């Protein structure tokens, strides 16, 4: 399994993913699921992947081959004129990779499916955030739903629904995501630290390197331990039910 | 879908279920999923059902036929000498009903599976809580894990993990379950009010009628609205991350 969240804030994009992959419960590994590309001042692209690792690695390799040898391989995500075109290109690659394995050769126990979150900005256009399906189509985040989750999304969703605010700071967004990831990690063995995160400030057209947050990270531990107490206090602050004998 | 939770507290059992059933998104109905039987002073039994409605209704009908005509139908859940025997009886009925439809006639799009939570007490024995699988085997709650969920369990699980305390009062347990159900109802259209709940005080060997909590119930609305604010405050009470430029 996997857990990735992409948030579109007023001030920019935040992308966070876990790094655990598993083939069964007894075969777990750590792989990067957050990938970034940039031409500083011109475009930044961030991609998070959930699903079959062979599929998602092939997608990333195909994207990177294209960026590395643009004279041989067009269209490239660095040449696409808009984020919509980038999304279509990545979606086409995803669909092609899946169909290559799905329709030929031995059948695997697992499917070859994968789902992607793509965010970024190209000079002259707004920042955009897409959710790309294995079928090769995609949807875009909007003011009504300015965030996407992929993978094991249910445990960590209620806090996002309740506490997300597009006006929040990067610092608060990091806290929100760490709470959401902590709840998920506590509930599903196939989601695990370290976590990768990248913050993109709208209009900057420049990305810092990916930050990696380990399980032993002091701030992550503060959040993980503090959230249990804070939640307990929140729970205690609500009135108990006055139980009267039921009618009937 | 469905959401049911059975809690084993120090002072007794609490069973809560939603009442929504659905066949697709465009065909939803309200059905009772919490069923109780008692011989006051001798035994109380509570059953919650998740899964194929035809299967779960057949299971309940078979259980009730047996209790209604004990001279024709033995063994009955009222004659079983222990909660373990009751669980085995209910599990056998469940497995038989599923195999009757699974192995004959037309194949349905949906499976005939169902999962049950059974709780109760028989005079002379302790109260016990079981989770019964469609295969006809079952597990029992223990001090380590004194509660079970069935159905759409993920959204409402983190708050149970964080706030459950076996020493809590029935009033606090109702609050906990309403928070958990509210998070689930807000996230999954196939889980819906009204909610059914029954409280069993250990050793009383007597059950009040099932309480039904409607969406308009003032206390439920207080919890539903108050929880958002309380969660927001809990979130704000944690420190924001101090973002320094990443190394690398």
């Amino acid at each position: 399994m996997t857990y990735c969240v992409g948030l579109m804030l007023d001030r920019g994009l935040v992308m966070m993913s876990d790094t655990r992959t598993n083939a069964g419960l007894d075969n777990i590994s750590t792989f990067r699921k957050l990938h970034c590309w940039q031409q500083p001042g011109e475009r930044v692209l961030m991609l998070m992947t959930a699903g079959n690792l062979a599929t998602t690695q092939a997608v990333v390799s195909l994207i990177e081959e294209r960026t590395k040898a643009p004279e041989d391989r067009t269209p490239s995500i660095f040449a696409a004129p808009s984020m919509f075109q980038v999304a279509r290109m990545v979606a086409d690659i995803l669909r092609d990779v899946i169909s290559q394995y799905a329709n030929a050769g031995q059948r695997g126990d697992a499917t070859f499916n994968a789902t992607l979150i793509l965010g970024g900005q190209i000079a002259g256009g707004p920042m955009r955030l897409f959710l790309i399906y294995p079928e090769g189509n995609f949807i875009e985040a909007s003011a009504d739903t300015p965030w996407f989750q992929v993978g094991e999304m249910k445990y960590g969703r209620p806090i996002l629904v309740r506490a997300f605010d597009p006006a929040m700071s990067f610092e608060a967004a990091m806290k929100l995501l760490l709470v959401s990831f902590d709840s998920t990690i506590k509930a599903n063995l196939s989601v695990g630290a370290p976590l990768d995160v990248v913050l993109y400030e709208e209009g900057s057209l420049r990305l810092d390197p990916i930050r990696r947050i380990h399980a032993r990270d002091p701030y992550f531990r503060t959040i993980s331990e503090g959230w249990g107490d804070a939640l307990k206090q929140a729970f205690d602050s609500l009135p108990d039910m006055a139980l009267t004998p039921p009618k009937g």
Side-chain angles (χ1 to χ4, degrees), chain A:
Chain A
M1 206 58 154
T2 284
Y3 183 37
C4 301
V5 183
L7 303 179
M8 190 158 68
L9 305 175
D10 293 344
R11 69 196 64 200
L13 294 166
V14 184
M15 315 280 270
M16 187 181 282
S17 82
D18 83 320
T19 55
R20 183 164 291 175
T21 66
N22 70 300
L25 277 167
D26 53 353
N27 184 358
I28 65 171
S29 307
T30 300
F31 281 93
R32 191 170 282 275
K33 304 172 189 178
L34 169 58
H35 306 269
C36 300
W37 299 272
Q38 62 177 324
Q39 287 183 318
E42 200 278 322
R43 71 180 60 199
V44 298
L45 302 169
M46 295 160 278
L47 184 72
M48 292 191 295
T49 63
N52 183 285
L53 184 63
T55 296
T56 59
Q57 285 196 342
V59 168
V60 171
S61 291
L62 286 169
I63 291 172
E64 293 198 329
E65 273 194 332
R66 290 180 182 190
T67 61
K68 281 175 187 164
E71 65 281 12
D72 300 333
R73 298 172 177 276
T74 53
S76 146
I77 57 164
F78 277 3
S82 69
M83 280 303 299
F84 178 83
Q85 293 289 349
V86 173
R88 199 147 73 170
M89 206 169 289
V90 172
D92 286 348
I93 293 172
L94 174 63
R95 193 195 49 209
D96 291 350
V97 169
I98 292 172
S99 68
Q100 180 181 351
Y101 295 103
N103 302 323
Q106 294 189 51
R107 302 276 165 192
D109 286 339
T111 67
F112 302 105
N113 279 355
T115 309
L116 313 176
I117 296 178
L118 173 73
Q121 187 169 22
I122 295 176
M127 63 181 181
R128 297 175 77 173
L129 183 67
F130 299 93
L131 178 67
I132 302 176
Y133 295 105
E135 290 79 4
N137 57 355
F138 51 87
I139 59 175
E140 182 176 1
S142 68
D144 289 325
T145 302
W147 44 279
F148 289 128
Q149 301 170 282
V150 293
E152 176 55 280
M153 52 173 272
K154 292 188 178 183
Y155 296 110
R157 190 174 180 86
I159 185 63
L160 290 178
V161 170
R162 302 275 198 173
F164 176 82
D165 176 356
M168 73 200 316
S169 65
F170 281 138
E171 288 80 1
M174 288 291 283
K175 180 170 67 170
L176 175 61
L177 289 176
L178 289 178
V179 169
S180 179
F181 272 74
D182 183 56
S183 292
T184 309
I185 288 168
K186 282 196 163 55
N188 189 325
L189 291 174
S190 70
V191 176
L195 309 176
D196 284 339
V197 62
V198 65
L199 306 168
Y200 171 67
E201 198 180 323
E202 184 177 20
S204 70
L205 296 169
R206 171 179 301 279
L207 282 177
D208 284 333
I210 292 171
R211 294 163 199 260
R212 176 152 285 195
I213 300 171
H214 292 273
R216 64 179 180 276
D217 178 272
Y219 179 71
F220 186 32
R221 286 176 59 179
T222 300
I223 294 299
S224 178
E225 288 157 20
W227 183 240
D229 296 337
L231 210 56
K232 200 79 178 56
Q233 278 175 22
F235 181 70
D236 290 341
S237 76
L238 294 177
D240 280 353
M241 190 168 195
L243 282 174
T244 50
K247 308 173 190 96

